[in-house]
Amino acid sequence: KVNRTFHPENTLINVGQQTIGGNQVAVIAGPCSVESPEQIVSIARQVKSAGAGFLRGGAFKPRSSPYSFQGLQQEGLELLKQAREATGLPVVTEIMSIKQLENHHEDIDIIQIGARNMQNFDLLKAAGQIAKPILLKRGQSATIEELLMAAEYIMAGGNENVILCERGIRTFETYTRNTLDLSAVLAIKRLSHLPVIVDPSHAAGLWWMVEALSKAAVAVGADGLIIEVHQDPGNARCDGQQSIKPDRFAALMKSLREIAHID
Ligand code: PEP
Ligand code: MN
């Protein structure tokens, strides 16, 4: 189902009034984690006025340490709904378990399955049973083939609304958090008809690389970007070092519009 040979035309994913895939670049922006009502609503307003089409924000966070902030969980989802209400932006948020999927899919516009769960096959199968678009992130050490087969698990269950995300992979390099594999965008678009977006924030792990990597992603034909934005990165509860401030995000959107069609 994922294979372009049997489905030559690009898949378009409709979310509300918007489309992911096709000839425009979808921009998803927001904080790594939802932290408070003021935080999420103000970032949502700012990314919306800069031209983002979707709001991201983690409520259930997959953290390397069990002692790190695990997200506001249910409360975070409620705050995302408030931010959606305030701005009209559809929300993108991660779920980590079948139980979270069952309990919360109706509240989420695009359900993110994160890098750490890319090969959680039971979760992929459950995602195949629902009627919401799935944003599937490439595993930290997953090959392109493995990513496509993970998407196949979702599609085999009947949910063909899958968006793939290149978010950097583990290599020997330690300067950046991960190594952004831009050639994966080209390979995936050749092998599959599914839309592919790029996450320069988790790929680099460094805020000052985000703008240039975003442009590079667009240059190789990415269908969208997912970018971490925080109004006070120094005090962010998660991933501050890779988050850009709203004014920098607005500047990034302006320069992207010079090279891409963004609605
Ligand atoms: C995230 O988007 O906040 C995240 C945890 O991403 P990844 O699964 O790519 O690490
Ligand atoms: Mn993050």
Side-chain angles (χ1 to χ4, degrees):
K1 292 201 167 180
V2 77
N3 195 325
R4 196 184 272 284
T5 313
F6 309 111
H7 187 302
E9 62 291 350
N10 288 332
T11 285
L12 306 179
I13 312 250
N14 296 315
V15 187
Q17 320 283 33
Q18 302 180 77
T19 304
I20 299 182
N23 55 9
Q24 43 191 343
V25 173
V27 181
I28 303 167
C32 181
S33 310
V34 178
E35 298 174 8
S36 69
E38 300 72 34
Q39 178 244 17
I40 192 67
V41 173
S42 91
I43 297 178
R45 290 210 164 99
Q46 292 180 85
V47 299
K48 162 136 189 177
S49 73
F54 305 84
L55 176 67
R56 66 151 288 148
F60 301 101
K61 292 304 302 177
R63 302 305 301 277
S64 299
S65 165
Y67 307 115
S68 298
F69 176 53
Q70 301 287 307
L72 295 180
Q73 318 268 315
Q74 240 117 298
E75 189 196 338
L77 287 180
E78 290 306 314
L79 300 182
L80 281 171
K81 288 203 272 182
Q82 286 177 21
R84 175 172 60 195
E85 189 87 358
T87 59
L89 292 178
V91 300
V92 182
T93 197
E94 177 165 357
I95 56 89
M96 300 196 294
S97 67
I98 295 175
K99 189 156 170 255
Q100 288 166 8
L101 183 68
E102 288 170 350
N103 290 342
H104 305 301
H105 70 269
E106 280 170 3
D107 291 334
I108 305 170
D109 300 297
I110 300 179
I111 295 163
Q112 178 173 325
I113 295 183
R116 291 156 192 80
N117 274 314
M118 188 205 83
Q119 283 188 317
N120 181 337
F121 297 115
D122 283 348
L123 182 59
L124 298 174
K125 285 180 189 166
Q129 301 301 316
I130 58 164
K132 284 283 168 85
I134 307 294
L135 173 58
L136 178 65
K137 299 187 87 174
R138 183 179 183 182
Q140 291 146 301
S141 301
T143 64
I144 290 165
E145 181 69 23
E146 286 164 341
L147 171 60
L148 293 175
M149 288 311 264
E152 190 76 27
Y153 263 91
I154 300 169
M155 297 173 85
N159 183 358
E160 303 198 356
N161 291 317
V162 180
I163 303 153
L164 301 172
C165 179
E166 161 59 36
R167 45 76 75 204
I169 50 174
R170 283 254 163 103
T171 67
F172 53 82
E173 184 53 69
T174 55
Y175 187 86
T176 48
R177 182 176 181 181
N178 292 287
T179 296
L180 180 57
D181 181 8
L182 280 180
S183 57
V185 176
L186 295 162
I188 293 165
K189 292 202 73 78
R190 193 178 179 92
L191 295 167
S192 178
H193 51 88
L194 294 176
V196 187
I197 70 167
V198 167
D199 177 345
S201 309
H202 289 88
L206 299 166
W207 67 267
W208 57 270
M209 287 192 181
V210 168
E211 177 164 350
L213 293 178
S214 298
K215 291 184 199 166
V218 167
V220 295
D223 296 296
L225 295 161
I226 178 165
I227 296 174
E228 287 188 342
V229 178
H230 196 283
Q231 68 273 71
D232 182 11
N235 288 304
R237 297 191 75 178
C238 183
D239 288 350
Q241 68 294 338
Q242 67 195 36
S243 299
I244 56 174
K245 290 186 181 172
D247 57 346
R248 197 168 279 278
F249 175 72
L252 161 58
M253 289 298 288
K254 196 156 171 275
S255 62
L256 281 179
R257 284 185 199 284
E258 290 167 13
I259 55 170
H261 177 47
I262 301 173
D263 249 2

